[in-house]
């Protein structure tokens, strides 16, 4: 199994200040359409195919993999992506919280495995290294906040 976590400040010095509401709107937009937030060409399809009071289901093609995710939203707090189909199984969570000083933080954490692969085998170990690298989910959090600021500046948030 792969466990990874990363936390970054929402409002580092020198950046346009975002409120919890603005960060939340960015996370919700990303959950509904990853194409708006991922590098061009990485996500070629992202469609919400089902909605209920507690969750929605999206189907997407990301990095050439067709996936289905069940996504739950805890307003202004947490988005959880349950990997229903695709190469991964498990959950990926994005959470907004205040640290002990009251500063907004954005946290990623996941507990996943790779379908059809040996637990803790070479494929999972490689995936773990990728998740924990500077190009892993820490960079995804940074790009999510960057895109949220761009949408705010455009008046689209």
């Amino acid at each position: 199994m792969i466990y990874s976590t990363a936390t970054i400040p929402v409002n580092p010095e020198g950046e346009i200040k975002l409120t919890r509401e603005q960060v939340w709107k960015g996370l919700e937009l990303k959950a509904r359409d990853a194409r708006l937030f991922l590098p061009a060409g990485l996500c070629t399809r992202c469609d919400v195919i089902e909605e209920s009071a507690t969750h929605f289901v999206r189907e997407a093609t990301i990095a050439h993999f067709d996936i289905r995710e069940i996504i739950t939203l805890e307003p202004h707090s947490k988005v959880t992506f349950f990997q229903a189909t695709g190469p991964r199984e498990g959950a990926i969570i994005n959470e907004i919280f205040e640290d002990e000083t009251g500063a907004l933080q954005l946290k990623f954490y996941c507990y996943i495995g790779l379908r059809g692969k040996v637990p803790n085998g070479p494929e999972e170990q490689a995936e773990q290294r990728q998740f924990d690298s500077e190009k892993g989910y820490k960079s995804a959090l940074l790009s999510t906040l960057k895109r949220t600021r761009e949408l705010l500046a455009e008046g689209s948030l």
Side-chain angles (χ1 to χ4, degrees):
M1 293 304 291
I2 299 161
Y3 176 75
S4 186
T5 187
T7 302
I8 62 167
V10 168
N11 293 308
E13 194 171 321
E15 292 288 349
I16 296 169
K17 187 171 173 122
L18 294 173
T19 65
R20 177 185 280 268
E21 177 70 24
Q22 291 163 334
V23 175
W24 175 253
K25 285 181 181 179
L27 288 178
E28 187 173 9
L29 282 171
K30 183 178 179 182
R32 293 186 175 280
D33 192 351
R35 292 173 295 190
L36 299 172
F37 289 82
L38 295 176
L42 187 61
C43 180
T44 56
R45 176 179 65 95
C46 193
D47 302 307
V48 173
I49 61 162
E50 178 185 319
E51 288 204 53
S52 78
T54 60
H55 69 278
F56 63 92
V57 178
R58 80 174 185 190
E59 291 183 345
T61 303
I62 301 175
H64 307 291
F65 291 106
D66 291 329
I67 62 171
R68 178 183 284 219
E69 295 173 302
I70 301 164
I71 300 170
T72 61
L73 304 172
E74 294 179 37
H76 311 286
S77 174
K78 188 185 299 183
V79 179
T80 303
F81 302 83
F82 296 96
Q83 308 290 293
T85 66
R88 298 180 180 128
E89 56 189 350
I92 296 172
I93 297 100
N94 284 236
E95 183 174 10
I96 310 165
F97 69 96
E98 285 94 16
D99 67 14
E100 61 280 349
T101 70
L104 274 179
Q105 303 289 317
L106 183 56
K107 180 178 185 176
F108 156 87
Y109 53 103
C110 73
Y111 190 65
I112 61 171
L114 297 179
R115 284 191 172 87
K117 304 296 180 188
V118 174
N120 203 33
E123 294 92 346
E124 280 194 358
Q125 289 177 20
E127 190 91 352
Q128 181 76 60
R129 286 190 299 277
Q130 172 63 26
F131 272 64
D132 293 341
S133 76
E134 287 301 311
K135 294 184 188 234
Y137 273 90
K138 182 177 181 181
S139 69
L141 293 175
L142 292 168
S143 69
T144 296
L145 292 177
K146 179 180 181 216
R147 183 66 179 133
T148 299
R149 285 184 174 89
E150 290 169 356
L151 291 169
L152 180 64
E154 294 169 4
S156 303
L157 191 62

